[in-house]
Each structure stands twice: as C-alpha cells, then as structure tokens.
Amino acid sequence: MRVEDVMVTDVDTLDINASLEDVLRNYVENGKGSSVVVKDGARVGIVTTWDVLEAIAEGDDLAEVKVWEVMERDLVTISPRATIKEAAEKMVKNVVWRLLVEEDDEITGVISATDILKAKMARRY
C-alpha cells in the first residue's frame, strides 16, 4: 500500500500570524489535525493539534499565541509513491506524527500515523 492510497489531499494552510484560537476553531469546525503554515505564500512550517494541546496544558491564552511561536519549522516530506511502511519508518526516525506528501515541490497531501494505523486495520479484517 502506498502513501497516495491513504493520504488526506485536502491540506489546510494558515498564515504565520494566525492565533492558536484560529487553529483550534478550524480544527474543530472542519475536523482537521494539522495545517501548513505559510508566509508570503511560501511554506514555513506545520502546526498541529499537539501544538494547541501543549498551549492549553501550559495555560496559555490561545488568542494571544501566534502560530509562528509554536510551529514545527523542519518540514518532513515523503513521496506519494512511498510505501506506508516507509512513511512509518520516516515518522519514527524523525519523531513526527505527520508527513507532508510532496511531489514536484508541491504539497499534495498529508499522511498521519492515524492514517497508517487505519489502513493497516482495514487490510487485516
């Protein structure tokens, strides 16, 4: 099974100056778990539900915390033609829960650990 078989293709983007309150609202209303962060049209990071959860645990005011303060700046990407085993290995090696799926310098999707686990369960039963 390949990454392209299980990845999510509807990738959200957020401006680098968005607040975590904006992020949370977007995730709750649209069922998302991550967004690519952009500055002047260029991707500069990724923000996830984990970042929001950490801010809540620290007692931060989500309206005051900006995406650029908490985003992951090292983007880990994978080809859509990679296997889900390769995706899992890359997640473990880089200690990330999601990979951006990239082809020809364009982000075409996101694959999460949950996507991989669901795919493995579906094949088993």
Side-chain angles (χ1 to χ4, degrees):
M1 188 172 287
R2 305 239 173 252
V3 167
E4 62 194 351
D5 299 325
V6 299
M7 70 184 194
V8 174
T9 57
D10 184 19
V11 180
D12 279 345
T13 59
L14 284 172
D15 183 79
I16 194 165
N17 292 308
S19 72
L20 286 189
E21 184 174 72
D22 298 331
V23 173
L24 178 59
R25 183 178 303 108
N26 182 43
Y27 292 171
V28 170
E29 291 175 356
N30 299 309
K32 301 292 180 171
S34 66
S35 299
V36 174
V37 180
V38 294
K39 179 180 180 184
D40 300 326
R43 63 179 186 257
V44 294
I46 187 169
V47 64
T48 70
T49 51
W50 187 261
D51 300 312
V52 177
L53 188 62
E54 283 183 322
I56 291 169
E58 292 173 11
D60 294 338
D61 180 349
L62 298 183
E64 297 297 320
V65 179
K66 300 300 181 192
V67 168
W68 63 265
E69 297 176 76
V70 299
M71 70 182 188
E72 175 60 47
R73 287 166 173 75
D74 296 324
L75 299 176
V76 183
T77 62
I78 195 161
S79 165
R81 287 170 301 291
T83 65
I84 60 172
K85 179 184 182 301
E86 291 168 324
E89 289 170 346
K90 198 166 208 179
M91 286 177 189
V92 169
K93 177 183 175 194
N94 290 280
V95 193
V96 295
W97 195 254
R98 290 175 179 80
L99 300 172
L100 295 176
V101 182
E102 182 178 46
E103 187 167 40
D104 299 326
D105 291 327
E106 292 290 324
I107 300 299
T108 59
V110 176
I111 184 168
S112 71
T114 302
D115 298 326
I116 293 172
L117 297 174
K118 286 179 181 177
K120 291 302 275 186
M121 285 298 291
R123 289 191 70 177
R124 184 167 194 134
Y125 298 104

